[in-house]
Amino acid sequence: MRHLLRRILFYLFAAWAAITLNFVIPRLAPGDPAAVLLGNLQSRGIHVGAAYLKAIQAELGYNTSDPLPVQYLDYLNSLLHGNLGVAVTSSFEPVTNVIGRDIFWSLGLGLVSVTLSFALGCLVGIVVAWKRGSLLDTILSPLLNFLSAIPYFWMALLILYIFGFELRWFPLTGGYDELNVDPGWTLDFIASVIYHGILPALTIVIASVAGWMLTMRNSMITTLSEDYVLMAKAKGLHTSRIMFAYAARNAILPNVAGFAISLGFIVGGQLLTEMVFSYPGIGYSLLQAVQNQDYSLMQGIFLVVALGVLGANFLAELSYAFLDPRVRLERSA
Amino acid sequence: MSLGKDLQHVATLEPETIPSTFPKKFPRRDSRLARLREGLRLVWRVLTSNRKVAIGSSIVAFFLLVAIFGPLLAPYDPTATSRLSETPPSAAHWLGTTATGQDIFSQLLYGTRSSVFWGFLTGLLVTLVSVVVGLVSGYFGGIIDELLSLATNVFLVIPALPLAIVAVGYFPKGPLTIALVIILTNWSFNARLLRAQTLSMRSREFVTAARASGESVWRIIFFEIFPNEIGIVAAAFVSTVIFVLLAWTALEFLGLGDINTVSWGSMLYWAQQSDSIFSGLWWWFAPPGCCIALLGAALALINFGIDEIADPRLRSEVSEHVPKELKEKAVT
Amino acid sequence: MPMTDNQSLHTPNNQSSGNGVLLEVRNLSVDYYAVNGIVHAVKEVSFELRRGEILGLAGESGCGKSTLAYAISRLLRPPAYITGGQVLYHPRKGEKLEKASQIVAVSDLGADHQSGQHAAASLETIDVLRLSPAQLRAFRWNEMAIVFQSAMNALNPVMTIGTQIMDVLKTHCPEMSAAQRRERAAELLRIVGIAPDRLRSYPHELSGGMRQRAVIAIALALTPELIIMDEPTTALDVVVQREILDLVSSLCREFSTALIFITHDLSLLLELADTIAVMYAGRMVEKASSRQFYAHPCHPYSYGLLNSFPKLHGPIRRMAGIPGSPPDLRAVPAGCAFHPRCPFAWQPCQQLEPQLQPSTAETPDQLVACHLYDVHQRPEGPPSSAEFAARYEALAEGSAIA
């Protein structure tokens, strides 16, 4: 129980750190973001008055006349009320609305692809370690090693080019067929979403599966030389039982423990993948924000992604404690 | 002690088989220089003894050579535009041209210099920060360790790329900004690794001896302890360069770098901006990505080789000289 | 291969009488394919084990005793491989046989150097080294269980003790219901002296002694005919060691289980074992009943081992110990591997490898591999105990001076 409390405190602290970083970074920057934004708007032919500029400044939280602590409290206060400013790229729509609309696409894509790649990576890792030295092992391990070094966005470009442009098997952009299908819980819509999601998901799975698989392989090989695996063999248990309940059950722990680092990396990759596929998730919005210097939207997206990753990591830690009975005892002692 | 275990060690020649780490005890020598030399010799032995490491380092060496001499061989000015736009690979333009008629092969040669230079330099700086934080945190312990560990763990769980995007977005575009931001977002992983390593080394005899002889704290940390971790630092550097390379190209791809310099990332940025995919210009976006993947894979290969040296069980190929019929009979 | 296979000559091979031989090991050899050469860890070891017999296997670490145990149970992992020999198992008649007959792999003895004379016996014989993976699975634990050195390592850290016991029952007795399995698991824990509510404990929640008891409980789950214990008490403190030994001893008598008990601590064996076998550099150098062995160890090495620790009972002997250390198995001395350390070593010891045979005609059960007992090499007969003591003392003094 004490261990759990410590971890909750840690994640609260990490969340606070992310929120504060989000506050500090713009204020470390040279120049006035509001002025940049104004210039940006004007260059696009949108003219706004001085009063509007002030309003934008207030919205952005750059009311530079206030002392920093007051700004910080204002910032925390507006966060508490779910106010992340307005997104210029999306005709001054509140950032929370933009993110709220996009997040489901990203969550869906992310959940499906991370689950797939984790399951697939672990499974392949188990098999490859079990058949160590076999043809499968000597071919698959270096191949996946190569795949893991490919940048997500380039993998996305390549897959989009081959399966979308050349072969024309899959659509080139978007999250669903906007012309022919209306959003809703209809079979057509769901099928369209899946059809559009296959390539982005494939990209993420291919780019991230190697990491899980290689960790699993190495951990599994170490575990297979443990006495309890030998004893399970001596007990005459079935191979599948030894492989999963005795070896893999223990070998998966480093993968779960390393989930945090991997997830942060994969989420970054997912954002880039969405950009390439013009997938209607927050990654695509992030690209719009970056290209148009839409600071509020950028920061809002960072905050949401950071908090989301923290939450996912906390869940991973909870499951780790569930998977490894020793943790509860040792760490709280 | 059972014989089985004894002999497995004989068989693998590895008395300590610790997975995924590279710590090797170095014998205490009289001079620190000797220990450093020992460390470097180990790095060299690692470079040559394992096949994966050998292949990986050859590829890396190739890229380093291209980075140094490549621009001298470039047939064209990489930024010069021409009327020959969007031409596929030919004898005149080995890798074809861009939408504005720039020679992609020349761009690739120049881009290699920029990307490899910044990748390795930033990787070095990231490693430096990790080393300082890790060693200080591990050696001092107490409140310093608590605070540094907390910072390390926080940066470990905050997603690096979104943070980097936000941070880069606010600052003037340019390689310096990207380098700084990448340092900020990537130092934590190896810092944690080195902290653990230093922690285990703090109570070793030679450290105690140095402390007793009144050496200053900084000398102990960087001249007594650090040379012993040179192997693990080298491995950390290699993996860091991969991450840095990926982060760097990602930020450039988003147009957050200096889009007017030629690098792998900016080539991909322009390729994406000109919708090269939808025009079928594969020769534009494919080469820079291939280079990144190849260099990254080579670096990863080096690290896997190092892992295998530290823990021979991880090797794919098992003792080839065992008679086949014995292997077949030995089903357990 | 020279057919000085005394074992098979000295024991009747028709095992139809139920109290006969349970396990026959014939010329078993194990090699380690090390990176820098082949290591002969076990060399042509032969012995027999009767039903209910407790065999103590002793020797310094690295002598091949554990490797022998793993080879018998076919648990060797690369780079260790069995390079020759046989392990024959004779299942008990009756209900056990029925179970066994499903898995019996009648060894085609004709293919080997054995002739048809064993055919009658082979009908009920399991050739352990030739069992297919499926047969091996069925054979394991039903007939032969194994207890590892460290209970902490032998127990799956993320699985409760109860599940690890019930796993065996679930696999081998599919007819049992879940409730029956739980009941049996609780009963097993009671037998080894653990409260049944510990079924739900994880290994790390138990003390070292309790863990080893739990492992023994798992070993007893199917009341096997044979249990192999590989240094089961080495990791424990002296008091707990004593408790475990008493438990093992009483359980084996109660269930008339045959036991191969491996240890480097000869003093444990003198009380526990019926028979003691000593190994040196991969070979068995002496095998005798506990009493005979204690009264009169034949091999100079056995004598040295026996006198390297103080005794509570019996005549006061001078403690000598054996100077030197066991050989590197990659470079075993020619002839008798022990000769560089042996106080009696003379010319034939450096050239001829002695074979295991009865020490004298009067003691056919005490087997020794030493030229001292070979009338051709040493017509004057073996040395007396006093001579042993004197030679060792001289050796100890010599080494002390040197």
Side-chain angles (χ1 to χ4, degrees), chain B residues 119-166:
Chain B
F120 276 79
L121 180 71
T122 317
L124 201 66
L125 293 173
V126 171
T127 312
L128 198 71
V129 174
S130 316
V131 167
V132 172
V133 173
L135 265 72
V136 166
S137 178
Y139 181 78
F140 282 104
I143 186 77
I144 295 178
D145 181 32
E146 288 279 329
L147 288 176
L148 286 177
S149 291
L150 187 63
T152 310
N153 289 330
V154 165
F155 272 96
L156 215 50
V157 287
I158 292 181
L161 189 71
L163 178 60
I165 291 173
V166 169

Side-chain angles (χ1 to χ4, degrees), chain A residues 62 132-133 154 217 225 299, chain B residues 170 285 301 313-316:
Chain A
Y62 305 121
R132 185 168 71 101
W154 188 67
R217 174 184 180 268
S225 66
Q299 288 195 284
Chain B
Y170 275 103
F285 67 84
L301 212 54
R313 284 176 297 183
L314 301 180
R315 273 178 220 152
S316 317

Side-chain angles (χ1 to χ4, degrees), chain A residues 207-226:
Chain A
S208 60
V209 75
W212 303 119
M213 178 256 167
L214 292 166
T215 313
M216 191 69 196
R217 174 184 180 268
N218 290 1
S219 160
M220 185 78 178
I221 285 173
T222 314
T223 310
L224 282 176
S225 66
E226 295 282 351

Side-chain angles (χ1 to χ4, degrees), chain A residues 113-123 208-209 212 252 255-256 259:
Chain A
S113 22
V114 170
T115 312
L116 268 178
S117 85
F118 185 81
L120 199 70
C122 288
L123 208 65
S208 60
V209 75
W212 303 119
I252 204 168
N255 242 349
V256 179
F259 192 78

